[in-house]
Amino acid sequence: MTTLDMAPVFSACKESGLRLGLGGAPLGNLFAAVSDAEARTLVDAAWADGCRTFDTAPHYGHGLSERRLGDALRGHPRDSYVLSSKVGRLLVPDANAARAQHSYVDILPFNQVWDFSAAGTRRSVEDSLQRLGLPRLDVVYVHDPDAASHGERAPAVLRQVLDETLPTLRAMKHEGLIRAIGLGTNDVDVVLQVLREAGLDVLMLAGRYSLLDHSALPALLPQCAARGVRIALGGVFNSGILATGARGGKASFNYAPAAREWLERTARIESVCAAHGVPLRAAALQFPLAHQAVDIVMLGARRVAEWADGLAMMRHPIPAAFWADLRAQGLLPVEAPTP
């Protein structure tokens, strides 16, 4: 599939001129509870600011994020925004399900089971549409088909994704239930493995192309650009460290305490930011958008103030000398494009 063929998938964000989308994990009560009213206010504020790209998943609060996002978007014309969700986890009702699971709190009464089968994939999409109260999804990502999630079962999971999940999604695309198919992962290698055997329309890549972590740059991003696989980036703050700074050695990287190498590198980036009067968050949000394969950055905001800050950081002017200084100090790869 060519870039031209894919243009309609992210056309809503291009028409609005805003390359910042709203990620739905916090709407599922990730780490802390958000009320229905707060969730609705956030989505409405993002919409008013021109956001037209929204992402969710069954995993996010065991359906809570999908329900809230559907309630907020249902009154808008369906062709005026881009909505994505994911497959790979089914939700099984259980009155005794723990109210806190997988870092989500006050979740809905379901348990998760992994299921990448053809039947499970179709059920997952249909269940998501019912929770959203909408007739179609623009994008469906295969969620976390990687070794970190599946351990020794990872090769079998990958085979099932290739043999069952992706073909089922292609059939549902033909039926008009979805418009584009991709992977949602933070693992570069699993994407490369899939691309050896299958085509993808889109990719949601979390944390692997950021101001700090450039691991997707050498092999994956050029291939995506060449094959027309359009990328929505998540995790551009690397779970916190590029939002807060090194914080005296207490910052988070990849949802864990940051290792010394990441703390030191971030501190060096912060020094360049200070020299040029550039907020670290602004540099983190704007840097990855310079790559030709990247269409949009997804921001997992929890409240309106966080969304407003992200929007301001996206628009903060950054001088060319700042990027040149980062490159001169070896903090950016030579081949990494800059804004």
Side-chain angles (χ1 to χ4, degrees), residues 194-220:
V194 168
L195 287 174
R196 292 188 192 109
E197 298 190 42
L200 298 173
D201 302 323
V202 289
L203 171 64
M204 177 165 283
L205 185 66
R208 299 290 77 84
Y209 189 59
S210 71
L211 192 63
L212 190 60
D213 185 333
H214 315 119
S215 53
L217 181 61
L220 180 57

Side-chain angles (χ1 to χ4, degrees), residues 57 85-89 114-117 121 124-125 139-146 150 157-158 160-162 164-170 178 180-186 190-191 194 200 202-204:
S85 193
K86 305 177 181 73
V87 298
R89 295 171 170 92
W114 289 106
D115 194 332
F116 294 94
S117 70
T121 298
S124 182
V125 172
V139 181
V140 172
Y141 299 106
V142 182
H143 204 183
D144 295 334
D146 50 71
H150 302 285
V157 167
L158 177 61
Q160 189 172 38
V161 166
L162 290 164
E164 296 190 50
T165 316
L166 292 176
T168 300
L169 291 176
R170 291 188 198 103
I178 62 181
I181 300 163
L183 301 185
T185 181
N186 58 11
V190 76
V191 183
V194 168
L200 298 173
V202 289
L203 171 64
M204 177 165 283

Side-chain angles (χ1 to χ4, degrees), residues 28-45:
N29 291 350
L30 178 63
F31 303 130
V34 175
S35 70
D36 286 349
E38 288 173 320
R40 180 59 179 265
T41 298
L42 170 61
V43 178
D44 288 349

Side-chain angles (χ1 to χ4, degrees), residues 10 19-26 30 53-56 60 84 86 141 143-144 183-188 202-216 220-221 230-240 242 253-255 284-285 287-289 293-301:
F10 288 111
R19 298 175 71 190
L20 186 68
L22 183 64
L30 178 63
T53 305
F54 304 87
D55 176 69
T56 185
Y60 302 159
S84 58
K86 305 177 181 73
Y141 299 106
H143 204 183
D144 295 334
L183 301 185
T185 181
N186 58 11
D187 188 304
V188 170
V202 289
L203 171 64
M204 177 165 283
L205 185 66
R208 299 290 77 84
Y209 189 59
S210 71
L211 192 63
L212 190 60
D213 185 333
H214 315 119
S215 53
L220 180 57
L221 295 193
R230 309 310 302 157
I231 298 176
L233 281 180
V236 295
F237 294 140
N238 287 121
S239 83
L242 287 177
F253 176 83
N254 266 16
Y255 305 102
L285 281 167
F287 162 72
L289 287 167
V294 177
D295 272 358
I296 194 167
V297 165
M298 305 301 295
L299 178 66

